[in-house]
């Protein structure tokens, strides 16, 4: 779902999706060693997501991607976004057209800031970030909404006081939570993601 860690860190969201009648596929990824992932790491993650769908999803099933941080970035690439690590350094990720909509939590959108990098995306997107996120700040989803405005609407949500890890039930060690009532926020955003997924 993100740079690494256990799916259990998002247990409230995963349980809410399951209780809404969704079949949940939540692959585990080893944590990235560098804050800037490599071409190989990004390509492998996207490929593993597609392989997980191959293994668990029946043909012609509606698939909605929900991802956090780099996990959200991988989903944007899988629906046709062109990911770039720098000028002339494109990450070649094969699109997976089974994904019909995306819920992106604190997405890292800087990888797509190249001309026409987002023009192939044709799925509804819910993008959510915290106002206190200093890893993927609100400007990243505001840019995404503006960049896609001509051909796709992005539902932008910014939660005041939330940080990058406020979406997780279990934050990584040594993280100070800026949000005063994190459990209430997790329940709120999980319900809203479920509404978006089943809608």
């Amino acid at each position: 779902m993100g740079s690494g860690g256990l799916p259990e860190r998002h247990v409230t969201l995963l349980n809410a999706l399951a209780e809404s009648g969704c079949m949940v596929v939540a692959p585990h990824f080893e944590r990235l060693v560098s804050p800037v992932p490599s071409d190989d790491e990004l390509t492998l993650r996207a490929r593993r997501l597609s392989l997980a769908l191959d293994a668990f999803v029946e043909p012609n099933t509606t698939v909605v991607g929900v991802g956090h941080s780099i996990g959200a970035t991988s989903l944007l690439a899988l629906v046709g976004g062109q990911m770039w690590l720098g000028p002339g350094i494109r990450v070649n990720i094969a699109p997976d057209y089974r994904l019909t909509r995306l819920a992106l939590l604190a997405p890292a959108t800087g990888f797509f800031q190249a001309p026409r990098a987002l023009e192939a995306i044709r799925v509804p997107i819910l993008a959510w970030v915290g106002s206190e996120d200093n890893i993927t700040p609100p400007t990243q989803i505001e840019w995404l909404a503006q960049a896609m405005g001509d051909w796709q609407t992005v539902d932008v949500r910014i939660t005041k006081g939330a940080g990058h890890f406020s979406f997780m039930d279990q934050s990584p060690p040594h993280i100070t939570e800026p949000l005063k009532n994190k459990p209430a926020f997790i329940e709120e955003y999980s319900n809203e993601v479920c509404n978006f997924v089943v809608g």
Side-chain angles (χ1 to χ4, degrees), residues 67-128:
H68 178 256
S69 195
I70 289 291
T73 304
S74 298
L75 292 173
L76 276 171
L78 282 171
V79 296
Q82 296 177 11
M83 187 183 291
W84 296 82
L85 292 177
I89 310 172
R90 181 176 171 188
V91 181
N92 290 309
I93 291 176
D96 191 319
Y97 295 106
R98 290 172 289 188
L99 291 160
T100 59
R101 54 180 48 211
L102 301 180
L104 309 176
L105 311 174
T109 63
F111 295 96
F112 302 96
Q113 294 185 12
R116 307 173 72 87
L118 300 171
E119 70 176 358
I121 297 176
R122 295 290 186 275
V123 300
I125 294 174
L126 168 65
W128 206 320

Side-chain angles (χ1 to χ4, degrees), residues 7-44:
E8 289 84 354
R9 286 187 167 165
H10 295 275
V11 67
T12 299
L13 173 60
L14 298 177
N15 286 341
L17 289 166
E19 289 165 8
S20 296
C22 301
M23 182 183 77
V24 177
V25 179
H28 170 266
F29 293 105
E30 294 299 321
R31 185 157 179 78
L32 295 172
V33 292
S34 168
V36 180
S38 69
D39 184 326
D40 288 344
E41 288 172 319
L42 292 168
T43 304
L44 178 60

Side-chain angles (χ1 to χ4, degrees), residues 158-179:
I158 301 172
T159 296
K160 187 175 181 180
H164 190 74
F165 301 101
S166 297
F167 295 92
M168 296 179 169
D169 290 274
Q170 302 170 28
S171 297
H174 314 299
I175 295 297
T176 301
E177 176 57 50
L179 196 59

Side-chain angles (χ1 to χ4, degrees), residues 32-63:
L32 295 172
V33 292
S34 168
V36 180
S38 69
D39 184 326
D40 288 344
E41 288 172 319
L42 292 168
T43 304
L44 178 60
R45 281 174 184 243
R47 179 68 183 135
R48 285 183 62 197
L49 288 170
S50 286
L51 288 171
L53 296 183
D54 292 343
F56 296 104
V57 176
E58 295 293 325
N60 302 315
T61 300
T62 298
V63 179

